[in-house]
Structures are given as structure tokens and as C-alpha cells.
Amino acid sequence: MNRFQNLGLFLLLVCFVVFIGAMMVKENVKLKRIVKAKEGRHHQQQGMADTSANQYQEQSMADTSANQHQQQSMADTSANKHQQQSMADTSANKHQQQSMADTSANKHQQQSMADTSANKHQQQSMADTSANKHEQQIMADTSANKHLEQSVTDIASKITTMLITLKQKAQRNITRIRRSLDVLANPFDKGFSCGSTPEAVVGGVEAKPFSQPWMAYIVAVFDESGDKQQCSGTVISREWILTACHCFDLYGESATKAYVVVSVHDVERMNVGDPIVVDIPKENIILHYKFDAFYSKNDVALLKLPRLLSPNNPRIRPACLPRDGEAPKLQDLVIASGWGLTKVSPPVRTRTLRTINAQITPCMPVRSDNICTRRPASVTKAQDTCQGDSGGPLIWKKNGVPFVVGVLSSGSEKCAGAPTDIPATYMKVVKYLGWMKSTIARRGSHSELDDKMGEDNKCKH
């Protein structure tokens, strides 16, 4: 029981303490409110005092400021007046300066205009001067051009004259050089130039131009049968005669010797004009080593004269040999000469040298080593090569220079040159230049090759 009484007393005491604490807190809060209220009123009063002081101070400051402002206004007014006066003075100065500047600008502008005018005048003068100079230059150039054109015309005329003269000289020199080359190519001895034609035959009734000074009359002699065979030939150097191989073959029999007559026109009057008769031994009859009588192939021969022909005889001149690849073309005109028959049945021989015109025609059959001819259509008289003309030359003139381009191998069938006749056939000389030159170079010396050629000189059938 005491325990519960003590607890109740304790609780009561606690409640009392709590109450007393609460009352004290309440009084404390109230006290704080009163103090705070007093402080607020004091602060308000102080604020009002401060406000009044502030207002007074502000009023004083406002008055002071107003005074200052008034003074400042007066000062400003004075300053403004002074400034306005200054500005007016400045404006006046500026106006005066502007006037002076304008005056100066006007003067400068006037000076510029004057200078511009002077410059324009000077430029115009310079332009006029330049134009005058240009015009004078044009006139000078025109005069110079006319002088130059005249000079050029004169120079061109002189050059043309010089070129014509040089061309003429060149043509003459070319002719000389060509003839010199022909002489070297044949080869001929110096002073015995090919192609020139003597002016006249010396002595006798045949004293007339001898147009074929390279012609040689040839007679081949056959001892076994006692027969003789007539042919023609061509003088190609001082010691060589070109002719046909078949002239030295008669039905398989080879000629034992021959004689050649040069510088002759009429073979029955050999004493006229002092003809030259030369005996040719067998060893000097050089036949082409591939001669074939059956097919008429390689029908060319060379006769070596035992003594040289004189280059001073005006009746004897060699024909020129063509250069490699040089030959007449189809329809070209050529010349054939000889002492052959003029009629076959009955045979009619001629005693004088005869010359005919012929025209290159196609060969039948075509062979590279042959040249064939017919009577030209413009020639109505029956004429052609015939028996006894074999070995004679076919002459082709180029730039006036006579070239022996063919060696007669066979004449036409009836020696009349009818359109139906077989054309005359010649060996083409250019095909045998190598053989001829090598033979001439050896001069007929008896080398091993010559011995073999001697065996082959017997004509094949």
C-alpha cells in the first residue's frame, strides 16, 4: 500500500513540476512579447525620429541641392551662353574657314580645270603629233614597201634570169656528165666519147652525114664448109664490138675467124673513105657461155679487136651502153640498122647501110631478156630487119644520146614488116651488162674462166 502511495505522490509531484514549468514558460513567453512590443514601439519611435531627421536632412540636402542646382543652372546658363557664344564664334570661324576653303577649293578647282584643259590641249597636241608621226610613218612604210616590192621584183627577175641561165648550164653540164658517165660505164677510153655523130663522111660520092658511126660490118668465116656468114655489130669501145652469138654458128659448125669493117657505108667500095678492116682470130670471138640456139637464149657475143681504134677518126664513134634498169617502154620509137637483105625471094642484098624506124611492141612469148619491134603505124612503106642484119644494134635515143638497148637475134619472117609478121626480136642489153663488163675488164685474157668459156663458145643446139 505504501508502495502505491509513494508512486501516486511521485506522479503528483511530477505533474506539479510540469505545471509549474508550463506556467513559467507561459510567463516567459508573455514577458518576451511585452519586451518585444516595447522594443517595437521604441524602434518605431526611433524610426519616426530617424525618418523625421532624414526628412529634415533630405529637405536640407534638397534645399542645398536646389541651391546648388540653381547655382549650377546659373553657371550652366552662363556656360551655355559662353558656349553658345563660342559655338557662334566657332560657327563663324567655321563658316569663314569654309568660305576660305570653298574659295581655295574653287581656286583649286579652277586651277584643276585649267590644268585639265592644258593637259587636254597638250594631249591633243601630242595626239596630233603622234598622228602626224604615224601618218608620216605610214607614208614612209608605204614608200619603203614600194621600194621593197620594186627591189623584190628586181631581185626575182634577176633570180629568174639566173635560174634560167643556171638551168641551161646545168642541162649542158648534165648532158656532159651523162655522156661522161656513159663513157665510164661502157667503159670507153678517154677521148673516145660515145654517142657523138661526125659531121660528114670523108671522100667519095657518099660524102654526107654518117648517122650511124658505131656500125660494124661483120663476116664470119667457116673453114670446113668454106661458107661465110654476114652480120652486123656495134662499136662499144676502141677495142670491143657487140654482136650476136648465132653469127658464128652455121649448122653446128663454129666460125674459125672473122673480119670486121668499120667506118664503111658501101661494103662494095671499101676503099672510099679509108675503111678499117680488122681480122679477128677465133680466140678473140667471145660467145656467151649460156647461149642456146634452139631457144634463142643469151644470143650475144663480143669481138675483141687486136688493135685499138683511133679516137681521132671522125667516122667512128661508139654507141652508149644503157645503165642498169634503163630500157625503152612500149610504143617508144627506136632505130635499127644493117646491111641485110631487102627481099627474101629472090634474095636481094644491099651494098649500103640502111636504117629503119621501129616501135617497141610486146614479145610473144614474153621474156625478160627480149625486146621486140614492129613497123610503126605511121610508116606505110614495107620495111623491117632481115637476114644479114643479125647482131646489129637497136638504138634508143634519150635526150639526144644514142643507147644500144638491143642486139638483133631474129628479124621478121618475111623481112617486110607486115602486121601479121612475127616481130623482130632483140636481146635486151641491160640483162647482159654484167657479163659484158666482166669480159671487157679481163680484156680477153686467157684466164681459167676464159678457157671454160672457150669450150662453151661452141653453139648449142
Side-chain angles (χ1 to χ4, degrees), residues 44-59:
Q44 184 177 8
Q45 291 174 357
Q46 184 66 33
M48 290 176 66
D50 293 337
T51 301
S52 177
N54 289 334
Q55 287 177 354
Y56 180 76
Q57 185 177 0
E58 290 175 356
Q59 183 64 36

Side-chain angles (χ1 to χ4, degrees), residues 202-243:
V202 179
V205 293
E206 288 88 6
K208 60 182 179 180
F210 191 63
S211 60
Q212 305 290 317
W214 44 80
M215 290 299 299
Y217 178 76
I218 302 172
V219 177
V221 179
F222 300 87
D223 287 343
E224 293 181 8
S225 62
D227 291 329
K228 296 179 180 179
Q229 187 160 270
Q230 174 188 314
C231 282
S232 299
T234 309
V235 178
I236 59 173
S237 79
R238 296 180 66 190
E239 62 175 344
W240 290 97
I241 306 295
L242 176 63
T243 185

Side-chain angles (χ1 to χ4, degrees), residues 91-148:
S91 177
N93 290 332
K94 286 184 178 180
H95 181 69
Q96 185 177 3
Q97 291 175 359
Q98 184 65 33
S99 298
M100 292 174 68
D102 292 340
T103 302
S104 177
N106 289 332
K107 289 182 179 180
H108 181 70
Q109 185 175 8
Q110 291 174 359
Q111 183 64 35
S112 298
M113 290 176 67
D115 293 340
T116 302
S117 177
N119 288 333
K120 287 183 178 179
H121 181 70
Q122 184 177 4
Q123 290 176 357
Q124 184 63 33
S125 299
M126 291 175 67
D128 293 339
T129 303
S130 176
N132 290 332
K133 288 183 178 179
H134 183 65
E135 185 176 359
Q136 291 174 358
Q137 184 64 35
I138 291 174
M139 292 176 66
D141 292 342
T142 303
S143 178
N145 287 334
K146 288 182 179 179
H147 182 68
L148 180 61

Side-chain angles (χ1 to χ4, degrees), residues 14 21 58 72 108 115 135 160 178 185 199 205 244-245 254 260 279 295 311 315 342 361 392 412 427 438 453:
V14 170
E58 290 175 356
Q72 183 66 34
H108 181 70
D115 293 340
E135 185 176 359
T160 302
R178 183 182 287 117
E199 294 182 358
V205 293
C245 187
S254 297
V260 175
D279 291 330
Y295 292 103
R315 294 169 56 88
T342 58
T361 188
S412 62
M427 294 290 105
S438 63
M453 289 173 59

